[in-house]
Amino acid sequence: MVEFWLHRAASKRITVRTGMAWQCWQQRGSALPAVLLAILVLSLLGAGFLSLSLVERQGAANEVKITQATYLAEAGINLALARLRRDPGWREGLGEIYLTPAKGRITSVSVVPQAASYRLRSEGEIDGVRRAIEVDLARPFFSYALASAGDITIKNPLTINGDLFATGSIYLQKGASGNVAAGVDLTIQNNTTVQGSVVTGRYLYNYGTIRGDATVGQTTDKYGNDPNYYGRVNGQVIKGLSFSFPNWPGDLAAPYTGGEPLPAGEYTLAMLQELVDSAPAGDNDIKILYCPGDLIIESGKGKGNDPDFYTGKAIIAAAGDITLGKDIRVTTGSDAWAFVAGNDILLDGGVTVDAVLMSNGYFYKQGAASTINGSLVTGGLTEVDEDDGGDNKSSKDNSRGNIKGPLTINAQDNRIQVLSPVLAATGWQVLSWRGASLY
């Protein structure tokens, strides 16, 4: 019981007793649970916001690491591409490469050659975060024994020792010793064997044997038959795969217009060697000579000493035709020449040429058996005829390139490797670039 004292003017003490006072006393502290609950809720919210903030911060840090790991993988691809440009025969790949400023590393880079491309795979890692990239890179055209725009037919008397490429269709009436890539259709006749793999942008008509794999743009041929219905494929058959083929280059001679001037006309090999020797050396000690018109290299009969062998590294380009009328042989394995024609290349019969030949226009050969030890890149070669024409002097006709009489093309990787840094304008196109699985 609580007593309240009231002082009034009469100085009378009044004592008031009431039950309500006890109830008020009981309600003192009744807000404490609510306050504690509020503090608990606010604490939980604060902890949640803090946790969310930490998660977001960690996520942002991981995003940075993912980006850095991707950049490291891309760096590995670029290193491999630079190496391939210097050496098209490089296949070893790269091991671990530590990049100190980035606090990360390129874990590995692999190079896998395919029928019409190289597949590069690179992995980058930083603080345990890994990313991988795969790139399909078109082979340079000069890396094939024969590369041609349009359709080509391979039959006697043409022999190809190496890989074969055409932007159009390829008709194989005789065996191929390497890989075959056709931008449109590939037809392999009865009793014909391809020792390597094949890639075709559309249909495959295989009546022979393919030792390697077959990658085919369509799931069937135009008659609804399986690509392996008639013939035999020893490896895998990959059907319905959209495959990007490289674009055919523009003016092949244009990149060399700044070379040492070479007047149009007829030269012996000895005369040409003197001009090469006196020309200034460029990248990788390769000398470039440019002729604004037609260039003819003939035998030096009646013109003094004219050897059949050359020395040094050179690219000899002409805006017009290039006619090769004599043997042009290499002296050592480190020597290499290339002839690049803005128009056509004419090769006489009975001639052996150790060089890379590239023509923006067509290729013509007539007469007795001739040999190219290097590679042939041509804008057109539509006719192959066993009739040698009865004359070793090649000439142009109304066809879009022809071969009359025997011709053998032997791919020579060492010659290509020597000249590759300067011939790279005709290849190394990126066909696809994508992120890849780490497993």
Side-chain angles (χ1 to χ4, degrees):
M1 182 175 297
V2 180
E3 293 185 351
F4 294 91
W5 295 87
L6 298 177
H7 296 275
R8 293 193 176 181
S11 301
K12 187 183 292 184
R13 187 176 72 175
I14 301 175
T15 301
V16 180
R17 303 178 184 271
T18 175
M20 291 299 295
W22 177 248
Q23 292 179 4
C24 290
W25 178 259
Q26 285 185 317
Q27 290 178 357
R28 293 178 67 184
S30 62
L32 182 60
V35 172
L36 292 176
L37 179 61
I39 292 173
L40 177 61
V41 170
L42 291 175
S43 299
L44 291 174
L45 287 174
F49 285 130
L50 179 60
S51 177
L52 180 61
S53 175
L54 292 175
V55 168
E56 289 181 348
R57 183 175 181 182
Q58 183 64 38
N62 285 338
E63 285 294 330
V64 171
K65 291 177 182 178
I66 288 171
T67 301
Q68 291 175 330
T70 302
Y71 286 157
L72 287 168
E74 290 179 356
I77 294 292
N78 290 324
L79 287 173
L81 179 56
R83 182 67 178 269
L84 280 169
R85 283 173 173 161
R86 294 194 306 269
D87 179 8
W90 177 68
R91 301 290 184 274
E92 292 78 9
L94 300 172
E96 286 187 327
I97 301 175
Y98 286 86
L99 302 176
T100 304
K103 297 181 180 179
R105 59 179 180 146
I106 300 168
T107 58
S108 66
V109 180
S110 61
V111 183
V112 180
Q114 302 184 83
S117 63
Y118 298 118
R119 176 159 294 175
L120 309 182
R121 177 184 171 87
S122 175
E123 294 186 12
E125 185 269 337
I126 183 167
D127 291 340
V129 177
R130 297 167 58 205
R131 282 296 179 269
I133 289 177
E134 284 186 350
V135 172
D136 286 325
L137 186 69
R139 291 174 52 181
F141 296 112
F142 55 78
S143 70
Y144 297 90
L146 171 61
S148 175
D151 302 337
I152 55 175
T153 299
I154 306 300
K155 64 178 184 179
N156 287 326
L158 175 60
T159 300
I160 307 295
N161 294 316
D163 295 341
L164 179 62
F165 174 90
T167 60
S169 296
I170 298 178
Y171 305 89
L172 286 179
Q173 298 182 16
K174 65 181 299 183
S177 65
N179 300 312
V180 178
V184 185
D185 301 335
L186 172 61
T187 301
I188 304 173
Q189 296 291 352
N190 291 325
N191 302 318
T192 299
T193 300
V194 177
Q195 298 296 335
S197 297
V198 305
V199 174
T200 176
R202 192 170 64 175
Y203 298 130
L204 170 63
Y205 303 96
N206 177 29
Y207 302 92
T209 300
I210 300 170
R211 301 291 190 198
D213 299 332
T215 303
V216 187
Q218 299 294 322
T219 56
T220 67
D221 62 23
K222 68 178 182 179
Y223 305 111
N225 295 317
D226 188 89
N228 202 23
Y229 180 77
Y230 305 102
R232 177 181 178 184
V233 179
N234 290 352
Q236 290 183 319
V237 179
I238 306 169
K239 299 177 289 185
L241 180 65
S242 178
F243 186 85
S244 298
F245 276 76
N247 297 319
W248 193 255
D251 188 350
L252 292 170
Y256 309 109
T257 54
E260 187 72 6
L262 178 65
E266 183 176 325
Y267 294 83
T268 65
L269 185 56
M271 295 166 60
L272 194 58
Q273 180 71 67
E274 289 182 5
L275 293 171
V276 168
D277 291 342
S278 61
D283 294 340
N284 298 86
D285 293 325
I286 298 173
K287 300 183 177 183
I288 298 175
L289 288 75
Y290 180 76
C291 171
D294 294 340
L295 181 64
I296 301 173
I297 303 172
E298 292 284 3
S299 174
K301 292 180 180 179
K303 299 180 182 180
N305 182 33
D306 184 31
D308 293 332
F309 294 86
Y310 68 82
T311 61
K313 297 178 287 187
I315 294 177
I316 301 164
D321 297 339
I322 295 180
T323 300
L324 304 176
K326 72 175 305 301
D327 287 344
I328 303 176
R329 307 300 307 275
V330 69
T331 301
T332 68
S334 61
D335 300 321
W337 282 12
F339 292 93
V340 182
N343 199 26
D344 303 329
I345 286 183
L346 292 81
L347 179 66
D348 284 353
V351 168
T352 297
V353 175
D354 299 340
V356 175
L357 306 183
M358 299 196 299
S359 66
N360 213 54
Y362 304 128
F363 174 81
Y364 297 91
K365 181 269 169 188
Q366 177 176 308
S370 295
T371 302
I372 299 172
N373 295 314
S375 68
L376 172 62
V377 178
T378 178
L381 177 57
T382 57
E383 296 182 14
V384 178
D385 195 341
E386 292 192 42
D387 182 3
D388 63 10
D391 186 359
N392 285 338
K393 191 67 176 175
S394 293
S395 61
K396 297 194 284 186
D397 54 24
N398 294 327
S399 68
R400 292 178 298 169
N402 62 53
I403 294 173
K404 297 180 179 180
L407 174 65
T408 299
I409 304 176
N410 300 312
Q412 295 288 329
D413 290 341
N414 61 327
R415 202 150 297 131
I416 294 167
Q417 177 180 338
V418 170
L419 297 174
S420 175
V422 180
L423 292 173
T426 58
W428 307 114
Q429 299 175 37
V430 174
L431 303 177
S432 66
W433 185 296
R434 59 191 176 275
S437 171
L438 293 169
Y439 306 102

